[in-house]
Amino acid sequence: MLKEVGASGQISLGKKYAGQLFDLQAADDGSIVLRPVRVVPATATATVQETQAPYRVTPAAQQSNREWAETHAQDIALYNAWASQSEPYSQRVRRWREQGTTTAEQTHGTV
């Protein structure tokens, strides 16, 4: 499965993995391995509760977000215009693979 890293440096694994913790190991060759983990404090008792804290946005953060968006409105508009004319990386790879298959079949005479 191909995953594209977005401009923010993030990838989405899907809702199946939402809220889970992963151990990330990066090798010298650039490969990355994610392993699901459960972290339990050393002083934990048998009554460990695994609840996720609710995500809350404070009014100050909302204002800060609004100000940032207003400051960068032109950059955002330019990016959105560019993105609307560009296809996702995964689609480009799929198209490249399909063209490669077609080219190989034509070259080797197999259909």
Side-chain angles (χ1 to χ4, degrees), residues 22-82:
F22 290 85
D23 176 41
L24 184 145
Q25 295 180 350
D28 292 340
D29 66 353
S31 63
I32 295 174
V33 176
L34 291 173
R35 288 194 177 88
V37 296
R38 285 187 184 244
V39 178
V40 179
T43 59
T45 64
T47 60
V48 174
Q49 293 184 2
E50 296 185 25
T51 59
Q52 188 174 6
Y55 180 76
R56 293 188 182 97
V57 179
T58 64
Q62 287 178 335
Q63 179 63 27
S64 175
N65 291 347
R66 245 184 259 111
E67 289 172 1
W68 184 91
E70 290 169 3
T71 302
H72 295 89
Q74 184 178 5
D75 294 333
I76 294 168
L78 288 171
Y79 174 80
N80 287 338
W82 171 82

Side-chain angles (χ1 to χ4, degrees), residues 2-5 86-95:
L2 292 175
K3 290 289 183 177
E4 181 176 10
V5 178
S86 300
E87 62 185 356
Y89 179 75
S90 59
Q91 301 238 347
R92 292 193 307 262
V93 169
R94 182 178 298 124
R95 186 171 32 83

Side-chain angles (χ1 to χ4, degrees), residues 92-104:
R92 292 193 307 262
V93 169
R94 182 178 298 124
R95 186 171 32 83
W96 172 78
R97 285 182 173 170
E98 289 170 355
Q99 289 173 350
T101 301
T102 303
T103 304

